[in-house]
Amino acid sequence: MSCVSWAQQPATRPATATPAPPKKAPVTPAVSKPGTVAAPTRSTTPAKTAAPTTAPKPGATTTKPSPTGKTPATSAKPSPTSTAPAKPATSAATAAPKPVVTAPAKPAGPPLPTNLGSSDPTVRYQNGKTLITQTRYDLAMQELEPLTPPAARFERAPEAAYLYAVAATRAKKWAEAEQMLNLLRTEYSAWPNMAEAFFLQAQVSFELGEADNALKMLTQIPAGRLETEREAMKAVYLPRVKDKLLYQTLLQHYPQDAAVARAYADKLVNGGWYTDADKPVLDQLVTQFSLDRTRYTPRPRAQKKSSYNVAVLLPFEFDDPSWEKQRKNQFVTDLYAGMRLAQDSLQREGRPIQLYSYDTGADTLQLKQVLALPELASMDMIIGPVYKSGSKILARYAQQRQIICINPLSQDGDLVLDNGWHYLFEPSTVTQAKAAAQFAISRFTSRTAVVVYEDTKDEAAFGQAYKTAYEALGGKVLQLRRVNSDVEESIGAGFAGIDLKTVGHLVVASDHRKAGPYTLGVLQAQGARLPLLTYASWLENSRVSLGQLDARDVFFIHPKFLDKTAYGVRRFRQLYIQRQNLPPSVFAFTGFELLYYFASQLHLHGPGFQQNLAASGPVSGSIFQGIGYPAGAHDNQYVPFTKLERLEVEVQNPVGIR
């Protein structure tokens, strides 16, 4: 039997979709001529009738690439552009519908094997194999699990255990896979295909962040077995190790492993890890493993300067001056307006930043034209873009040029995998799940949970990460259910058969407008009073009233929580209204915090500040509660939780807004 199988790298998740613009009068940057982006300027026109704009300042250059690749002249005299006021949004809380529990629809694809759950172990074994080929991994695990313990006395129990682990890894259920592989190694150590189990265990350990154990498993595979596959696995997973101290430990434990040596050398030279103290180690690796010295010679470190240049690559899309397009892109204008305020604050503090803004449009062609401009290679930092396809292109550019780039809105952790020069300002979905699990363990006395997640890539990643993190902390996820809220049968089946009165807490990972009302309806129908942990987007769902939420113990995962009583929030709002003549949206707050934080890192540590971030913990933000990139993380690790108006995380004194 040969069933070598390891799950591929996670497919990249979609970047943050174009956010809905704030339901207020918009701020629209003025357009002086095609191809030139002018910064917004203040206007005396009332906010209810016209969109004010700001005049560009020295050091806030805005350009768009010309077809010839030359940099066009910037505009010095923008003219105001008026837009119609936004139509006020209406909201009406509706009563939660009574839950309808019906049988799930039959899955599409090949027919299910007959006799599922058969008392004949041979039939169940064949069903499990068939279900794996049909990619129905959960069903395959259900068929195979009863065959695996020694008490079952099934002659093919080792194969059943291995196939169960294969199904679990393909379903990204790493904890279940590890548990079964432990049983396989303990109870069936004489199985002739144990090399495949070691190989699969290595993948599971890598996915769980246990690189040392993963390499240990690979060394237990006999020489001559799976050598190509082993090297391929190392090539995929070793670049994901983001802890420099852990890498140094791996070098000590596996001093003859060329893959470990090469990956560490890559991190030193191309990942922003190199310091003068690393020179002897790097020279030794190059000599010992015959690495290409020209490739593994670090570039001279950028020196600290009195002023830094920051490029802002956003889809302003001023080729289309229509009201509809400008309204759709209001979030971009707000984001940039927040950055301009941060630039002013930094200037007053003696830490000047020069902003150079480029219109990247909505397609990658225009972005590529911007990246072809020679001036971009001289930037100290790049902010943007907002669309996924462009984020991938810019990430490669930043890594090649060794310029740190910051994605302002995406929560896709896959975008920053294997790239020491790419950061997310937002916490990734997986980070939010881990933080939620830690919050639940510390907050709720009961250690059991039910997790329901929407049938999307992001929410599936959240659900799996929550289960793994919560159980690693000592809790137990009793049910992990996937639902499609667009299908009534699916959402009904997601809650079917669960007595919520016996559960410690419920987690619902869904932004869908039907998920909130349905969940509250189920809780009401069952008379369950357990804590509920969900997304802050429920607060904006017109089908869920604040009264319904306030009547229950509901906690919200809220990365963009703004404490309106905090000094930083109040001061920013005041300054923004003075300049723009209208209240700031959350994107304006984001733009300020992003530039202020990362520009401060430039002034403190210079353009290569990765190691300084890795060595520091969360710090108080000027507006948001905290920002942190410890241990080499490349997405914000700080995730606040709220309970309506009551903040569950202590707010430190903000700094930065002058």
Side-chain angles (χ1 to χ4, degrees):
M1 173 180 174
S2 178
C3 298
V4 175
S5 173
W6 60 296
Q8 301 299 312
Q9 305 180 60
T12 51
R13 61 180 278 192
T16 304
T18 304
K23 296 182 176 67
K24 301 181 185 295
V27 182
T28 305
V31 183
S32 58
K33 61 181 179 179
T36 302
V37 180
T41 62
R42 182 180 178 184
S43 170
T44 57
T45 307
K48 293 183 179 179
T49 59
T53 55
T54 51
K57 297 181 178 181
T61 309
T62 56
T63 65
K64 175 183 174 182
S66 63
T68 60
K70 297 180 179 180
T71 307
T74 57
S75 172
K77 297 180 180 180
S79 59
T81 303
S82 297
T83 60
K87 187 177 180 180
T90 59
S91 61
T94 59
K98 294 182 179 180
V100 179
V101 179
T102 58
K106 293 183 179 180
L112 289 170
T114 58
N115 299 323
L116 286 179
S118 171
S119 59
D120 185 342
T122 302
V123 172
R124 295 192 71 137
Y125 177 77
Q126 292 298 330
N127 287 346
K129 293 177 65 176
T130 301
L131 290 166
I132 289 175
T133 62
Q134 294 178 352
T135 70
R136 291 166 166 146
Y137 303 124
D138 290 341
L139 287 175
M141 293 165 66
Q142 293 176 21
E143 286 292 287
L144 294 167
E145 186 174 19
L147 311 178
T148 59
R153 299 184 181 279
F154 179 50
E155 61 180 2
R156 306 199 70 177
E159 287 87 348
Y162 176 74
L163 289 173
Y164 176 97
V166 168
T169 56
R170 293 184 182 179
K172 302 188 186 304
K173 296 186 175 182
W174 310 113
E176 289 87 340
E178 182 171 51
Q179 183 177 3
M180 187 58 69
L181 289 167
N182 287 338
L183 182 145
L184 178 59
R185 296 198 312 273
T186 302
E187 301 294 341
Y188 307 109
S189 58
W191 185 47
N193 291 311
M194 191 57 68
E196 297 176 6
F198 288 135
F199 182 83
L200 200 59
Q201 176 63 66
Q203 185 201 1
V204 172
S205 295
F206 270 128
E207 288 286 350
L208 294 175
E210 300 168 356
D212 200 349
N213 189 64
L215 293 172
K216 179 181 177 181
M217 291 295 106
L218 292 178
T219 60
Q220 296 189 40
I221 299 175
R225 295 286 303 276
L226 307 176
E227 289 186 351
T228 302
E229 291 83 357
R230 277 187 277 174
E231 294 307 311
M233 181 180 288
K234 293 176 188 178
V236 168
Y237 285 103
L238 285 174
R240 299 184 187 179
V241 178
K242 300 183 183 299
D243 189 334
K244 187 175 182 180
L245 292 178
L246 175 57
Y247 246 123
Q248 292 170 346
T249 300
L250 296 180
L251 282 174
Q252 293 174 1
H253 291 178
Y254 309 97
Q256 303 305 317
D257 194 315
V260 174
R262 186 165 50 251
Y264 184 60
D266 279 328
K267 287 287 188 180
L268 290 176
V269 176
N270 301 314
W273 287 9
Y274 184 81
T275 65
D276 292 339
D278 294 309
K279 186 177 186 304
V281 175
L282 182 58
D283 288 342
Q284 178 190 343
L285 296 177
V286 169
T287 302
Q288 180 181 353
F289 295 96
S290 301
L291 302 179
D292 184 351
R293 189 168 293 276
T294 58
R295 177 181 175 184
Y296 291 99
T297 298
R299 298 181 184 181
R301 292 182 62 84
Q303 299 299 313
K304 293 179 66 175
K305 302 186 297 186
S306 59
S307 178
Y308 291 94
N309 299 328
V310 177
V312 180
L313 277 56
L314 293 176
F316 295 101
E317 294 193 60
F318 286 112
D319 283 341
D320 184 351
S322 67
W323 181 88
E324 294 81 6
K325 176 62 69 175
Q326 297 307 314
R327 181 62 175 164
K328 177 182 177 183
N329 274 15
Q330 184 64 47
F331 77 99
V332 175
T333 307
D334 292 351
L335 193 69
Y336 183 64
M339 294 182 198
R340 291 298 305 276
L341 271 180
Q343 183 186 27
D344 290 348
S345 289
L346 291 162
Q347 179 70 38
R348 285 192 289 271
E349 295 170 6
R351 295 183 287 177
I353 292 291
Q354 309 304 318
L355 286 181
Y356 297 88
S357 303
Y358 299 84
D359 183 2
T360 59
D363 56 59
T364 57
L365 178 61
Q366 198 164 327
L367 173 62
K368 290 177 180 177
Q369 291 177 346
V370 171
L371 297 180
L373 298 174
E375 67 206 53
L376 210 68
S378 65
M379 295 294 167
D380 299 302
M381 188 169 71
I382 302 174
I383 297 173
V386 297
Y387 299 120
K388 182 174 183 178
S389 56
S391 296
K392 291 181 178 180
I393 294 172
L394 179 58
R396 289 194 296 269
Y397 177 91
Q399 190 170 38
Q400 292 166 359
R401 301 283 184 166
Q402 297 195 353
I403 304 172
I404 289 178
C405 68
I406 317 294
N407 188 299
L409 300 178
S410 178
Q411 295 179 356
D412 186 353
D414 291 345
L415 288 175
V416 295
L417 279 177
D418 313 336
N419 193 336
W421 299 90
H422 195 190
Y423 284 87
L424 302 183
F425 179 67
E426 302 284 356
S428 68
T429 303
V430 171
T431 291
Q432 293 181 47
K434 292 177 179 177
Q438 293 169 354
F439 176 82
I441 283 289
S442 63
R443 178 81 188 199
F444 309 138
T445 55
S446 176
R447 290 292 185 261
T448 60
V450 167
V451 179
V452 178
Y453 63 90
E454 197 66 38
D455 189 14
T456 64
K457 181 180 179 294
D458 293 353
E459 275 59 58
F462 182 99
Q464 294 293 344
Y466 188 92
K467 175 178 171 62
T468 300
Y470 189 66
E471 293 187 341
L473 293 169
K476 177 63 177 177
V477 174
L478 302 176
Q479 294 285 341
L480 185 62
R481 299 283 187 90
R482 178 177 57 204
V483 300
N484 180 355
S485 296
D486 284 322
V487 180
E488 190 171 355
E489 293 83 357
S490 174
I491 193 171
F495 288 93
I498 302 176
D499 183 1
L500 293 174
K501 294 191 295 296
T502 64
V503 177
H505 71 277
L506 173 65
V507 181
V508 180
S510 175
D511 284 318
H512 199 284
R513 61 186 179 85
K514 293 182 180 179
Y518 196 94
T519 300
L520 296 174
V522 171
L523 292 172
Q524 182 177 359
Q526 293 193 15
R529 304 296 302 176
L530 75 168
L532 170 63
L533 188 59
T534 189
Y535 293 157
S537 58
W538 284 29
L539 293 167
E540 302 172 2
N541 189 343
S542 62
R543 301 181 63 182
V544 176
S545 70
L546 292 180
Q548 287 176 291
L549 297 172
D550 194 36
R552 295 191 174 275
D553 208 16
V554 185
F555 298 86
F556 303 99
I557 304 167
H558 205 332
K560 287 301 182 188
F561 179 77
L562 293 169
D563 182 359
K564 296 179 181 179
T565 66
Y567 171 78
V569 175
R570 291 185 288 108
R571 179 58 176 158
F572 176 82
R573 180 182 174 86
Q574 178 186 25
L575 294 174
Y576 192 90
I577 291 175
Q578 288 176 359
R579 173 171 293 189
Q580 304 295 349
N581 202 28
L582 81 170
S585 71
V586 69
F587 301 107
F589 284 106
T590 297
F592 179 95
E593 190 79 276
L594 183 156
L595 182 63
Y596 187 88
Y597 175 78
F598 282 102
S600 297
Q601 296 300 318
L602 281 175
H603 277 281
L604 285 172
H605 308 296
F609 52 69
Q610 292 96 325
Q611 287 304 297
N612 299 98
L613 287 188
S616 63
V619 299
S620 176
S622 299
I623 294 173
F624 297 110
Q625 291 176 32
I627 304 174
Y629 297 82
H634 279 248
D635 61 298
N636 189 1
Q637 300 288 291
Y638 195 93
V639 184
F641 297 84
T642 60
K643 189 176 188 296
L644 289 185
E645 298 301 323
R646 183 163 55 87
L647 188 63
E648 297 297 333
V649 181
E650 181 181 358
V651 181
Q652 303 179 34
N653 293 328
V655 295
I657 303 179
R658 301 289 185 265

